[in-house]
Every structure is written in structure tokens, then in C-alpha cells.
Amino acid sequence: MKAVGGHQLCLMFLAVVVAACSCSRSPSNLLTGAKVSPDEVRVQVARVGFDNETGSNYVLLLDESDSRVLPIMIGESEATAILLALHGIKPERPLTHDLVRSIIGKTGNRVDRIEIGDMRDEIYYATIYMDGGRYTIDSRPSDAIALAMNMNAPIYVNNKLFESAPTVGLVPRGKIPDTAHALGLTVEQLTPDLAIAFNDPSGRGVLVSEVDLSAQKAGVARGDIVVKVGSIDVKALDDFSRQVAKVNNTGVTVTLNRDGTSRTVTLTADGAR
């Protein structure tokens, strides 16, 4: 059987969604089970990263108690779509999942939720629930997550899938990138894929993934790239950690890149000066 590429799979996914949105709502299409099952656990996308060991992108799902995680390997285009949605960045031209969202909305349909409900032969399976449970669509988890992120739809994981998943403190090194928290920022290593997604082809610096309120007031946003702390270049997490450890109450100037534009803010150990 000829292998199907990621772009072809996205087009196939689009065709299925279009068919579901355009079909008549006859009784045969009315499906039960619109309510969330007690076995379903609501999750959020905590991170998207690149695993150097396997050469694959992944998305990390975190349950509401912040105690269990589920990493799922995904394709490069889906990783980009999820990354952009996670950081609130709108691409200049619509990606495939943006197109699907527009079609669903323009045809008067909606996505209720998506559920990652099963794993067989180390492959995860997802379902998209639409229009109050009238329609269910089989999907790859990556496509379903990207669509949910674009439509602000909740994401659920069947509880049984967490049984073999690692807890936050036990995730193998290499599966989850290291992070650091200081100056009111949570930052992670900038991978080549992340650098391209955030318009920083130089690939140097660390990516801001979370921002405390104080740092927000100073003008820092998710998706910014820290390239300097004080006068020292930041090329990796170790550089960032070493420099912020020297920060005192007087604060430090942090140089950020956003969409190719450089600017500076002054931050203290608590976030903003």
C-alpha cells in the first residue's frame, strides 16, 4: 500500500468534515451519547515540542489536576497549527485546519468537543463530536486537537489512556523539553520547528510559553523569544538560568524578539519593575 503523506491526510480529513457538514440531518444521522462520559477526563494542551530521539513532533496533554500527562506524536504541519493556536498567533494565510474551521462555521455547524478515546497497536484514535452529538467523525488526534484549538472546543481523553502514561515528574528526558521559570516567565528551549513557527530563523534564544501578570504588564507575551538577559546573549536554557540567578531587586533588562522585531523590557525576580 502506498504511504499517505501528512498533506494528503489533511485533505482527506477536510473532505470528511465537509461531507459531514453538508449531509442532511436525517434520523439515521442523529447519534446518541452527546453527554460526556464519566470515563472522559478534560485536558489542555500544555506544550508542543520536538523529540530529538525519534525525530518527531509531539503534543503534551495535561489533565485538570496537573498530575497526569499524555504525550502524543504528531506531524509537523499539525504541530505548527497547534503551536500557533496555543500562542494565539494567526497565520497570514489560512492553514488546512483554519479552512476546516471556516467551513464548519459558515455551514452553521459547530464542534462540541473532541475525545481521544482509544489506542490500538500504539496508535491513538480520536472522535470529533458535532452539533450536540448529531455527528461523530473519526479522526487522527493531531487533526482533532488542531481543530479543537482553532474552535475553542474542549478536549477530552479517556481515563484508561493515562494508566500507562508517565506522571509529570517522571516523563523521560527527551520526551518533554526542559523549562525554566524566573522573572515572571516560563521559558522553554527554542527548537528549529518552534523558531520557524515564531518567525525567528536564527533559532537562538528561549521561547516564552507562560507569562505571569506582572511580566504581562511589562509588555511580555507568550510567543516572545528571549535573546538577551542584561548584556549576555541567551542561546539556550542554561544561559537563561545562569543570568537570571544573578538578578537582584533592581531588575534586569531583557531583550525580546517578536515577529522579527527586537525590543527590551525591565524585569525583576517578581516579574516587572
Side-chain angles (χ1 to χ4, degrees), residues 48-60:
V48 178
F50 184 80
D51 180 9
N52 290 318
E53 294 180 5
T54 63
S56 302
N57 298 278
Y58 68 86
V59 59
L60 180 68

Side-chain angles (χ1 to χ4, degrees), residues 137-157:
I137 301 174
D138 183 33
S139 172
R140 297 187 304 169
S142 55
D143 289 321
I145 292 169
L147 183 61
M149 295 285 287
N150 272 286
M151 302 195 73
N152 295 317
I155 302 170
Y156 290 86
V157 169

Side-chain angles (χ1 to χ4, degrees), residues 109-142:
N109 294 268
R110 71 176 187 275
V111 173
D112 304 323
R113 72 184 191 278
I114 70 111
E115 179 196 358
I116 302 168
D118 198 9
M119 181 178 69
R120 300 189 296 273
D121 297 325
E122 299 186 355
I123 297 174
Y124 287 101
Y125 292 81
T127 302
I128 301 170
Y129 291 85
M130 296 179 60
D131 295 349
R134 283 191 175 93
Y135 309 112
T136 60
I137 301 174
D138 183 33
S139 172
R140 297 187 304 169
S142 55

